[in-house]
């Protein structure tokens, strides 16, 4: 769980003042500070202010020369833009931060939100699928979204074309959350601008990326972990074997969420990913009742929507930032532009997979390595 990030003698102190918010933003926006590094710095230095002071020396000890933290004026400009657009910053550990998202190991320290924040306290289900969805796929997505909304669930998706768009549209009356790949003020694709405006009014748009950030390919896999992290379950409506939707499904499994899939015709490539998930044990979905039943079987409901349960994880020995930096260097030195299998990388490093996998995720979040289809990894040049 994310609490493991703070398992030390020091208690995490969420920001209380505008100055604290500014320091948190400067820390996460500083170069080479990913999610894991952010929380380790907070754990070791108690406050973001102290972490910012210590960061240049930490970087020097890791072999990074002339390191500078994020300038104050850069963070102030981001906060000013957010205020102008009616966007709020929500920080990990504060009352408004989604409880389900705090349950994942790589929870974003900061999210920007625009819209109805009360939806974050509601039970959520993710609906994801193909951008080039079939008419049957979009009909199924609309039906599931409407029925789940009527049952009291908020529908989460990624505002992409196809299944995401159909899901958001059908869930507008009951509540929907769109997780952006770029800044929460940057609509992508632009054809969904009108839909995004409707979600701003009645739903919620959310992103961990800086305000004004244009989405890049590397942002979408990291965005997907938030979609699944917010949700009790992920339903894949239509997806090819090599698709972002299957990344979301894999994230969901790692996070202890339910994974469900709508079956499709065996010769339809857009259904091959869903059929593969079902073959591997995902729950087959014919209607919203199947989704609700699957969640009910894994949670005690008592006539209320289920609450997500923490996933028990075996704690690993804590590493210092210097040790983590050394491991990052070793990982990067074994990767090149030609992708290699993640399993092969783990064997080459001769370390337990559970020690390496979080650092691979960190490097992926920092945009330094790229995860490709088939469990392959390559360095980002």
């Amino acid at each position: 769980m994310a609490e493991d990030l703070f398992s030390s003698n020091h208690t995490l102190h969420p920001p209380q003042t505008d100055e604290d918010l500014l320091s948190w933003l400067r820390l996460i926006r500083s170069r080479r500070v990913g999610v894991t590094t952010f929380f380790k710095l907070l754990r070791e230095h108690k406050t973001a202010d102290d972490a910012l002071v210590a960061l240049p020396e930490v970087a020097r000890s890791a072999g990074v020369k002339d390191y500078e933290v994020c300038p104050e004026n850069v963070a102030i400009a981001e906060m000013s833009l957010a205020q102008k657009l009616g966007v709020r910053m929500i920080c990990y550990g504060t009352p408004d931060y989604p409880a389900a998202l705090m349950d994942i190991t790589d929870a974003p320290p900061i999210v920007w939100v625009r819209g109805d924040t009360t939806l974050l306290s509601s039970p959520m289900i993710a609906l994801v699928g193909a951008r080039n969805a079939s008419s049957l796929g979009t009909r199924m997505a609309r039906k599931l979204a409407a029925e789940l909304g009527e049952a009291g669930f908020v529908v989460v998706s990624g505002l992409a074309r196809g299944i995401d768009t159909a899901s958001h549209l059908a869930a507008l009356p009951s509540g929907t959350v769109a997780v952006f790949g770029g800044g929460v003020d940057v609509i992508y694709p632009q054809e969904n601008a009108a839909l995004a405006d409707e979600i701003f009014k009645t739903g919620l748009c959310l992103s961990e990326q800086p305000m004004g950030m244009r989405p890049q390919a590397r942002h979408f896999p990291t965005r997907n972990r938030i979609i699944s992290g917010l949700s009790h379950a992920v339903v894949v409506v239509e997806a090819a074997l090599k698709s972002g939707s299957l990344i979301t499904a894999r994230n969901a499994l790692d996070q202890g969420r339910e994974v469900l899939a709508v079956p499709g015709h065996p010769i339809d490539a857009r259904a091959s990913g869903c059929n593969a998930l079902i073959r591997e044990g995902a729950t087959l979905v014919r209607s919203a009742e199947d989704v609700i039943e699957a969640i009910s079987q894994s949670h005690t409901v008592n006539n209320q929507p289920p609450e997500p349960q923490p996933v028990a994880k075996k704690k690993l020995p804590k590493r210092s930032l210097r040790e983590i930096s050394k491991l990052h260097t070793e990982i990067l030195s074994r990767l090149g532009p030609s992708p290699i299998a993640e399993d092969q990388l783990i064997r080459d490093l001769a370390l337990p997979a559970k020690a390496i996998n979080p650092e691979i995720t960190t490097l992926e979040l920092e945009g330094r390595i790229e995860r490709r289809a088939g469990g392959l990894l390559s360095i980002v040049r």
Side-chain angles (χ1 to χ4, degrees):
M1 292 192 304
E3 289 93 337
D4 292 342
L5 295 169
F6 316 116
S7 54
S8 73
N9 294 329
H10 306 316
T11 302
L12 170 70
H13 298 289
Q16 303 292 326
T17 66
D18 288 344
E19 289 75 15
D20 292 339
L21 290 172
L22 181 63
S23 296
W24 270 53
L25 185 59
R26 289 182 65 201
L27 185 57
I28 193 59
R29 296 292 182 252
S30 292
R31 186 164 55 97
R32 300 187 71 170
V33 176
V35 171
T36 301
T37 301
F38 177 93
F39 284 122
K40 285 186 177 295
L41 285 166
L42 274 191
R43 188 184 67 219
E44 294 176 6
H45 300 283
K46 300 185 182 181
T47 69
D49 276 334
D50 290 341
L52 286 167
V53 171
L55 190 51
E57 179 57 36
V58 172
R60 258 192 307 275
S61 68
V64 180
K65 298 179 180 178
D66 301 323
Y67 184 90
E68 294 183 2
V69 300
C70 173
E72 187 173 280
N73 65 306
V74 172
I76 290 174
E78 184 175 353
M79 294 179 76
S80 298
L81 177 58
Q83 185 176 25
K84 179 181 178 181
L85 297 176
V87 176
R88 284 185 55 201
M89 179 198 296
I90 298 181
C91 296
Y92 185 102
T94 59
D96 289 338
Y97 194 91
L101 201 56
M102 288 181 66
D103 185 49
I104 69 174
T105 57
D106 49 0
I110 289 170
V111 292
W112 290 111
V113 296
R114 185 177 182 183
D116 183 3
T117 56
T118 63
L119 294 177
L120 295 175
S121 60
S122 302
M124 304 185 202
I125 292 177
L127 295 182
V128 298
R131 287 174 170 82
N132 63 330
S134 67
S135 59
L136 282 175
T138 53
R139 282 170 54 193
M140 185 63 173
R142 289 195 298 267
K143 181 174 184 292
L144 287 173
E147 291 176 349
L148 289 169
E150 291 172 1
F153 290 93
V154 170
V155 170
V156 183
S157 201
L159 201 71
R161 300 180 181 94
I163 297 301
D164 290 19
T165 297
S167 301
H168 286 307
L169 282 168
L172 281 172
S174 53
T176 186
V177 173
V179 184
F180 285 23
V184 75
D185 58 325
V186 179
I187 310 303
Y188 181 84
Q190 188 57 40
E191 67 197 56
N192 275 345
L195 173 58
D197 285 340
E198 289 300 314
I199 297 175
F200 292 152
K201 296 173 187 175
T202 64
L204 183 77
C205 296
L206 177 151
S207 177
E208 68 175 329
Q209 297 298 336
M211 297 289 298
M213 171 69 75
R214 303 296 304 178
Q216 302 173 34
R218 62 184 175 86
H219 293 151
F220 293 103
T222 60
R223 182 275 308 270
N224 292 347
R225 87 190 194 285
I226 298 178
I227 292 176
S228 55
L230 286 168
S231 308
H232 295 296
V234 170
V235 182
V236 184
V237 179
E238 205 170 53
L241 274 175
K242 297 179 180 179
S243 68
S245 299
L246 294 197
I247 294 176
T248 310
R250 184 185 65 200
N251 288 336
L253 290 172
D254 291 343
Q255 295 163 351
R257 307 315 195 224
E258 293 292 320
V259 175
L260 309 94
V262 175
H265 196 284
I267 65 172
D268 186 348
R270 288 172 295 197
S272 57
C274 292
N275 292 340
L277 286 173
I278 293 169
R279 187 180 61 205
E280 293 167 7
T283 300
L284 186 149
V285 173
R286 300 161 297 178
S287 67
E289 291 181 2
D290 291 332
V291 180
I292 296 168
E293 180 182 354
I295 298 175
S296 300
Q297 288 176 351
S298 59
H299 300 279
T300 303
V301 180
N302 295 328
N303 295 321
Q304 295 293 328
E307 291 298 322
Q309 298 298 313
V311 181
K313 296 180 183 288
K314 186 177 180 180
K315 293 184 179 180
L316 294 169
K318 297 185 183 69
R319 288 185 171 84
S320 68
L321 286 172
R322 183 173 296 181
E323 290 171 327
I324 291 172
S325 178
K326 181 181 178 182
L327 180 53
H328 286 184
T329 300
E330 291 177 358
I331 292 171
L332 292 170
S333 68
R334 294 176 184 274
L335 293 176
S338 297
I340 68 169
E342 183 174 347
D343 291 345
Q344 182 61 51
L345 174 65
I346 292 171
R347 286 195 295 270
D348 290 345
L349 291 169
L351 290 171
K354 57 190 175 184
I356 298 173
N357 286 336
E359 306 312 326
I360 291 175
T361 299
T362 296
L363 291 170
E364 186 181 3
L365 292 174
E366 293 175 357
R368 302 172 71 189
I369 66 175
E370 180 180 8
R371 192 184 296 273
R372 302 190 182 185
L376 300 178
L377 299 171
S378 64
I379 197 167
V380 175
R381 294 296 186 185

